[in-house]
């Protein structure tokens, strides 16, 4: 359940760019209107970050500042990308690309493969575990099912951190990873896995990113073509970026800085996959000219829930804790969190199911309730307890809504009825849209009353009921809508993965609950050994577990139930204790020793325009004008040349060719693409201005202090007509 479902289901498209900004708070409005230069949004849980960045994109598009096809919004899950596309469509910016890193990279790789590599692109494998098993067999290493999964995870981590098999052992030791097998064996299995893929002409999901990076590094023409397509980038959940994804982002950007990143270091919970908040925390260091906006107004949770969330992080340690945001609830007061202790895990599940039954009977929609746990293995106990209490439920992380067989069949039936409904006896006596949908779906298994019990039959009914409810909401928002209009809406939602709400209590792991929210949340199994998990040993791992619990707490809007069991099984020894993370927060407990991190207030920080790291400041930006005709320049390429493309060039062709030859030599000797030395535009600007000294050379866009230090002497010598050997002899 997302925040979007609490707004009008089918809102009216804003009638102007200014209307897009209505309803935003001051910090969100700052995000929406900061459309130039690097922007970093530090957004606490529930502060409306998706609202802020989608309104930012929509405002730029509606104001004519951004062209829809030139924007690439990147996030980490298909669900989040689908939600973003849905919101942008509702704001009148439907042409914007919103994709995951993998989806965007795969699209580019498929398009450019014939040009960059030639031939047919290798087949992409969905699951690599069988390939790992085959690699283990080739190495004569026996792996059980658990070890296969762990080795696969190590290979994935190695690839996203750009670690080759030969470097696995030292890299894993440096990262503090506990290898599931001897590091030398992991390296051997990793190398064998790569051999198996090559032999079978297949690639995996990490290869999609690696190969795209390789193409963009090696083929300057392809990189420039992509940069010409995408001029503006937005990256959501930036705290979860891996080194490989960051490298791809840098190649997409080139030398531009039209980038907006959004994240929260306190919600970093995927470091085991190679994700790191360092890119987010170091953003201001890499881009001192960035605008930093902090969102701390929490619109999701009550003050009581927010107080617990802030308290969890108050005793946190580490770099992420130093940058934590102190949330400020914007909602009326609600009930205090409820803490419950049980003798064993089945009793804990029964207690949760009993309370959920009471909530549903009192009128709370089942879809507004979630049970969150640390591991998926805990799910079965709660599935049984809810089924015994006759409470419908759904498993988070299962098959996507529009991919379910019953939903696909229902879509075909509705589409057929929309085309040939006049000949369908089912529709003879119905006139309104909801009645038509109920009539059609009754032939697919929908009934007015849900089937008893749980299982596949109940899950199919819940899917069809979600379509019936969606039809009712659609008809209420658009009274004149026809069945064909609803089918078109379903098609758009399927493309955006914008699923309707399924009526059932959500069962989910804490990791899969990220980005979601409910009115009522049950956090279960919050005991030592499970939270933090037993295998969390280092300080960094413990702190990640704390952040994981923080994510769980901040999923609740109003009611929060926290529970734990003293033993695993009935009659077991009651040796467990509540999680250390609750010390000082639950009634009757005392705080553990430790410092209190300073909370970050909300607001806006302006960067120093044009600065980068510790390098000297570049001149503050002023409108760039063509040095020939005086027109204001906005195109990055024209700004580099300081003239319109149409204005006559006074470039020294001979100097330009000498600079190109020199650049090619530099690229070969350093093993990097030529554009990494200087782009064509920068070389043209140098050849046109023929600078006499470092000061003049430094004024040319694209010549930063680092490149000036490294290449300045050579470039000035070439401009002066000297040979490089002669210049170096004089030095």
């Amino acid at each position: 359940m997302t925040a979007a479902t609490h707004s009008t289901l089918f809102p009216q498209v804003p009638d102007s760019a200014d209307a897009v900004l209505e309803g935003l708070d001051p910090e969100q409005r700052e995000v929406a209107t900061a459309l130039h230069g690097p922007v970093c949004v530090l957004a606490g849980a529930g502060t409306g970050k998706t609202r802020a960045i989608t309104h930012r994109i929509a405002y730029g598009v509606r104001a004519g500042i951004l062209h829809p096809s030139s924007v690439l919004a990147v996030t980490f899950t298909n669900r989040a990308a689908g939600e973003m596309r849905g919101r942008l469509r509702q704001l009148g910016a439907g042409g914007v690309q919103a994709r995951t890193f993998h989806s965007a990279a795969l699209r580019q790789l498929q398009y450019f493969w014939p040009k960059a590599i030639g031939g047919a692109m290798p087949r992409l494998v969905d699951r690599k575990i069988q390939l790992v098993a085959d690699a283990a067999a080739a190495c004569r290493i026996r792996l059980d099912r658990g070890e296969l999964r762990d080795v696969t995870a190590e290979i994935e981590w190695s690839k996203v951190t750009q670690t080759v098999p030969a470097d696995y052992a030292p890299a894993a030791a440096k990262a503090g990873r506990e290898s599931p097998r001897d590091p030398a064996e992991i390296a051997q299995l990793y190398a064998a896995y790569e051999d198996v893929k090559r032999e079978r002409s297949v690639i995996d999901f990490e290869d999609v990113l690696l190969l795209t990076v390789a193409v963009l590094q090696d083929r300057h023409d392809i990189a420039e073509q992509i940069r010409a397509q995408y001029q503006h980038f937005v990256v959501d959940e930036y705290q979860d970026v891996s080194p490989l994804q960051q490298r791809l982002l840098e190649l997409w950007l080139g030398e531009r800085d039209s980038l907006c990143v959004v994240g929260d270091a306190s919600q970093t919970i995927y470091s085991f996959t190679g994700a790191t908040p360092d890119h987010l925390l170091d953003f201001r260091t890499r881009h001192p000219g960035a605008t930093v906006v902090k969102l701390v107004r929490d619109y999701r949770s009550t003050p009581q829930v927010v107080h617990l969330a802030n308290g969890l992080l108050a005793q946190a340690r580490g770099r992420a804790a130093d940058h934590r945001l102190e949330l400020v609830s914007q909602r009326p007061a609600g009930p205090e969190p409820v803490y419950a202790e049980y003798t064993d895990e089945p009793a804990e599940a029964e207690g949760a199911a009993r309370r959920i039954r009471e909530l549903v009977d009192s009128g709370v929609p089942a879809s507004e309730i979630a049970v969150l746990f640390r591991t998926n293995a805990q799910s079965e106990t709660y599935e049984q307890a809810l089924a015994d209490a006759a409470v419908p439920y759904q498993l988070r992380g299962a098959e996507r809504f529009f991919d379910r067989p019953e939903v696909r069949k229902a879509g075909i039936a509705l589409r057929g009825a929309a085309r040939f409904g006049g000949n369908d006896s089912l529709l003879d006596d119905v006139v309104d849209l909801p009645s038509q949908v109920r009539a059609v779906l009754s032939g697919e298994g929908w009934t007015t009353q849900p089937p008893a019990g749980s299982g596949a039959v109940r899950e199919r009914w819940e899917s069809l009921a979600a379509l019936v409810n969606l039809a009712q909401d659609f008809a209420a928002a658009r009274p004149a809508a026809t069945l064909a209009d609803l089918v078109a809406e379903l098609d758009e939602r399927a493309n955006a993965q914008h699923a309707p709400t399924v009526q059932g209590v959500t069962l989910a792991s804490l990791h899969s609950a990220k980005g979601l929210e409910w009115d009522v949340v049950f956090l279960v199994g919050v005991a030592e050994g499970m939270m933090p998990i037993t295998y969390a040993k280092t300080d960094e791992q413990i702190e990640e577990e704390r952040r994981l619990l923080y994510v769980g707490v901040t999923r609740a809007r109003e009611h929060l139930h926290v529970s734990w069991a003293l033993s695993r099984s009935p009659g077991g020894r009651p040796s467990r204790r509540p999680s250390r993370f609750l010390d000082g927060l639950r009634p009757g407990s005392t705080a553990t020793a430790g410092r209190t991190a300073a909370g970050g207030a909300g607001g806006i920080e302006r960067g120093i325009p044009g600065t980068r790291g510790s390098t000297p400041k570049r001149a503050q930006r002023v409108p760039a004008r063509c040095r020939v005709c005086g027109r204001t320049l906005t195109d990055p390429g024209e700004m580099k040349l300081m003239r319109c493309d149409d204005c006559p060039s006074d470039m020294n062709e001979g100097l330009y060719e000498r600079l190109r030859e020199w650049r090619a030599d530099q690229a070969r000797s350093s093993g990097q693409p030529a554009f990494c030395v200087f782009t064509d535009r920068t070389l043209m600007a140098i050849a046109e201005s023929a600078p006499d000294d470092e000061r003049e050379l430094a004024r040319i866009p694209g010549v930063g202090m680092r490149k000036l230090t490294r290449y300045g002497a050579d470039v000035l010598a070439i401009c002066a007509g000297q040979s490089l050997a002669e210049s170096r002899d004089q030095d």
Side-chain angles (χ1 to χ4, degrees), residues 694-728:
E694 286 191 353
R695 187 174 178 180
E696 291 181 7
L697 180 59
R699 288 199 191 105
I700 298 173
V703 182
M705 184 56 66
R706 182 177 61 84
K707 292 188 177 182
L708 183 66
T709 303
R710 184 170 184 179
Y711 304 126
D714 282 3
V715 170
L716 290 172
I718 294 170
C719 290
Q722 299 175 338
S723 69
L724 295 185
E726 178 184 350
S727 171
R728 288 163 187 161

Coordinates of all heavy atoms in Angstrom, one line a residue, residues 694-728:
E694 N 47.9 29.4 -19.1 CA 47.0 28.6 -18.4 C 45.7 29.3 -18.0 O 44.7 28.7 -17.9 CB 47.7 28.1 -17.1 CG 48.8 27.0 -17.3 CD 49.2 26.4 -16.0 OE1 48.8 26.9 -14.9 OE2 50.0 25.4 -16.1
R695 N 45.8 30.6 -17.7 CA 44.6 31.4 -17.4 C 43.6 31.3 -18.5 O 42.4 31.1 -18.2 CB 45.0 32.8 -17.0 CG 43.9 33.6 -16.4 CD 44.4 35.0 -16.0 NE 43.3 35.8 -15.4 CZ 43.5 37.0 -15.0 NH1 44.7 37.6 -15.0 NH2 42.5 37.7 -14.5
E696 N 44.0 31.5 -19.7 CA 43.1 31.5 -20.8 C 42.6 30.1 -21.1 O 41.4 29.9 -21.4 CB 43.8 32.0 -22.1 CG 44.1 33.5 -22.1 CD 44.7 34.0 -23.3 OE1 44.8 33.2 -24.3 OE2 45.2 35.2 -23.4
L697 N 43.4 29.1 -20.9 CA 43.0 27.7 -21.1 C 42.0 27.3 -20.1 O 41.0 26.6 -20.4 CB 44.2 26.8 -21.0 CG 44.0 25.3 -21.2 CD1 43.3 25.0 -22.6 CD2 45.3 24.5 -21.1
A698 N 42.2 27.7 -18.8 CA 41.2 27.4 -17.7 C 39.9 28.0 -17.9 O 38.9 27.4 -17.4 CB 41.8 27.8 -16.4
R699 N 39.7 29.0 -18.7 CA 38.4 29.6 -19.0 C 37.5 28.8 -19.9 O 36.3 29.0 -19.9 CB 38.6 31.0 -19.6 CG 39.1 32.1 -18.6 CD 38.8 33.5 -19.2 NE 39.5 34.5 -18.5 CZ 40.6 35.2 -18.9 NH1 41.0 34.9 -20.2 NH2 41.2 36.1 -18.2
I700 N 38.1 27.9 -20.6 CA 37.4 27.1 -21.6 C 36.6 26.0 -20.9 O 37.1 25.2 -20.1 CB 38.3 26.4 -22.6 CG1 39.1 27.5 -23.4 CG2 37.6 25.5 -23.6 CD1 40.2 27.0 -24.3
P701 N 35.3 26.0 -21.1 CA 34.4 24.9 -20.4 C 34.9 23.5 -20.8 O 35.3 23.3 -22.0 CB 33.0 25.2 -21.0 CG 33.0 26.6 -21.4 CD 34.4 26.9 -21.9
G702 N 35.0 22.7 -19.8 CA 35.5 21.3 -20.1 C 37.0 21.2 -19.7 O 37.5 20.1 -19.7
V703 N 37.6 22.3 -19.3 CA 39.0 22.2 -18.9 C 39.0 22.6 -17.4 O 39.1 23.7 -17.0 CB 39.9 23.2 -19.6 CG1 41.4 23.1 -19.1 CG2 39.9 23.0 -21.1
G704 N 38.9 21.5 -16.6 CA 38.9 21.7 -15.1 C 40.3 21.8 -14.6 O 41.3 21.6 -15.3
M705 N 40.5 22.0 -13.3 CA 41.8 22.1 -12.7 C 42.6 20.8 -12.8 O 43.8 20.8 -13.1 CB 41.7 22.5 -11.2 CG 43.0 22.8 -10.5 SD 44.0 24.0 -11.4 CE 43.0 25.5 -11.1
R706 N 41.9 19.7 -12.7 CA 42.6 18.4 -12.8 C 43.2 18.2 -14.2 O 44.3 17.8 -14.4 CB 41.6 17.3 -12.5 CG 42.2 15.9 -12.5 CD 41.2 14.8 -12.1 NE 40.1 14.8 -13.1 CZ 40.1 14.1 -14.2 NH1 41.2 13.5 -14.6 NH2 39.1 14.1 -15.0
K707 N 42.4 18.5 -15.2 CA 42.9 18.4 -16.6 C 43.9 19.4 -16.9 O 44.8 19.2 -17.7 CB 41.7 18.4 -17.6 CG 40.8 17.2 -17.4 CD 39.7 17.1 -18.5 CE 38.9 15.8 -18.4 NZ 37.9 15.7 -19.5
L708 N 43.7 20.6 -16.3 CA 44.7 21.7 -16.6 C 46.0 21.2 -16.0 O 47.1 21.4 -16.7 CB 44.2 23.0 -15.9 CG 45.1 24.2 -16.1 CD1 45.1 24.6 -17.6 CD2 44.6 25.3 -15.2
T709 N 46.1 20.7 -14.8 CA 47.3 20.2 -14.2 C 47.9 19.1 -15.1 O 49.2 19.1 -15.3 CB 47.1 19.7 -12.8 OG1 46.5 20.8 -12.0 CG2 48.3 19.3 -12.1
R710 N 47.1 18.2 -15.5 CA 47.6 17.0 -16.2 C 48.0 17.3 -17.7 O 49.0 16.8 -18.2 CB 46.6 15.9 -16.2 CG 47.0 14.6 -16.8 CD 46.1 13.5 -16.4 NE 46.5 12.2 -16.9 CZ 45.9 11.0 -16.8 NH1 44.7 11.0 -16.1 NH2 46.4 9.9 -17.2
Y711 N 47.2 18.0 -18.4 CA 47.4 18.2 -19.8 C 47.7 19.6 -20.2 O 48.0 19.9 -21.4 CB 46.1 17.8 -20.6 CG 45.6 16.4 -20.3 CD1 44.3 16.2 -19.8 CD2 46.5 15.3 -20.4 CE1 43.9 14.9 -19.6 CE2 46.0 14.0 -20.2 CZ 44.7 13.8 -19.8 OH 44.3 12.5 -19.5
G712 N 47.7 20.6 -19.3 CA 47.8 22.0 -19.7 C 49.1 22.3 -20.5 O 49.1 23.0 -21.5
A713 N 50.2 21.8 -20.0 CA 51.5 22.1 -20.6 C 51.5 21.6 -22.1 O 52.0 22.3 -23.0 CB 52.6 21.5 -19.8
D714 N 51.0 20.4 -22.3 CA 51.0 19.8 -23.6 C 50.1 20.6 -24.5 O 50.5 21.0 -25.7 CB 50.5 18.4 -23.6 CG 51.6 17.4 -23.1 OD1 52.7 17.9 -22.7 OD2 51.3 16.2 -23.1
V715 N 48.9 21.0 -24.1 CA 48.0 21.7 -24.9 C 48.5 23.1 -25.3 O 48.4 23.5 -26.4 CB 46.6 21.8 -24.2 CG1 45.7 22.8 -24.9 CG2 46.0 20.4 -24.0
L716 N 49.1 23.8 -24.3 CA 49.6 25.1 -24.6 C 50.8 25.0 -25.6 O 51.0 25.9 -26.4 CB 50.0 25.8 -23.3 CG 48.9 26.2 -22.4 CD1 49.4 26.7 -21.0 CD2 48.0 27.3 -23.0
A717 N 51.6 24.0 -25.4 CA 52.7 23.8 -26.4 C 52.2 23.6 -27.8 O 52.7 24.1 -28.7 CB 53.6 22.6 -25.9
I718 N 51.2 22.8 -27.9 CA 50.6 22.5 -29.3 C 50.0 23.8 -29.8 O 50.2 24.1 -31.0 CB 49.6 21.4 -29.2 CG1 50.2 20.1 -28.8 CG2 48.8 21.2 -30.5 CD1 49.2 19.0 -28.4
C719 N 49.3 24.6 -29.0 CA 48.7 25.8 -29.4 C 49.8 26.8 -29.9 O 49.6 27.6 -30.8 CB 47.9 26.4 -28.3 SG 46.4 25.5 -28.0
A720 N 51.0 26.7 -29.2 CA 52.1 27.6 -29.6 C 52.9 27.2 -30.8 O 53.9 27.8 -31.2 CB 53.0 27.8 -28.4
G721 N 52.5 26.0 -31.3 CA 53.2 25.5 -32.5 C 54.5 24.7 -32.1 O 55.3 24.4 -33.0
Q722 N 54.7 24.5 -30.8 CA 56.0 23.8 -30.4 C 55.7 22.2 -30.5 O 54.6 21.8 -30.3 CB 56.4 24.1 -29.0 CG 56.6 25.6 -28.8 CD 56.9 26.0 -27.3 OE1 56.5 25.2 -26.5 NE2 57.6 27.1 -27.1
S723 N 56.8 21.5 -30.6 CA 56.7 20.1 -30.5 C 56.8 19.8 -29.0 O 57.3 20.5 -28.2 CB 57.9 19.4 -31.2 OG 59.1 19.6 -30.5
L724 N 56.1 18.7 -28.6 CA 56.1 18.3 -27.2 C 57.5 18.1 -26.6 O 57.8 18.4 -25.5 CB 55.2 17.1 -27.0 CG 53.7 17.3 -27.3 CD1 52.9 16.1 -27.0 CD2 53.1 18.5 -26.6
A725 N 58.3 17.4 -27.4 CA 59.7 17.2 -26.9 C 60.4 18.5 -26.7 O 61.1 18.7 -25.7 CB 60.5 16.4 -28.0
E726 N 60.2 19.5 -27.6 CA 60.9 20.8 -27.4 C 60.3 21.5 -26.2 O 61.1 22.1 -25.4 CB 60.6 21.6 -28.7 CG 61.1 23.1 -28.6 CD 60.7 23.9 -29.8 OE1 60.1 23.3 -30.8 OE2 60.9 25.1 -29.8
S727 N 59.0 21.4 -25.9 CA 58.4 22.0 -24.8 C 59.0 21.4 -23.5 O 59.3 22.1 -22.5 CB 56.9 21.8 -24.8 OG 56.3 22.3 -23.6
R728 N 59.1 20.1 -23.5 CA 59.6 19.4 -22.2 C 61.0 19.7 -22.0 O 61.5 19.8 -20.8 CB 59.3 17.9 -22.3 CG 57.8 17.6 -22.2 CD 57.4 16.2 -22.7 NE 55.9 16.1 -22.7 CZ 55.3 15.2 -23.4 NH1 55.9 14.3 -24.1 NH2 54.0 15.1 -23.3

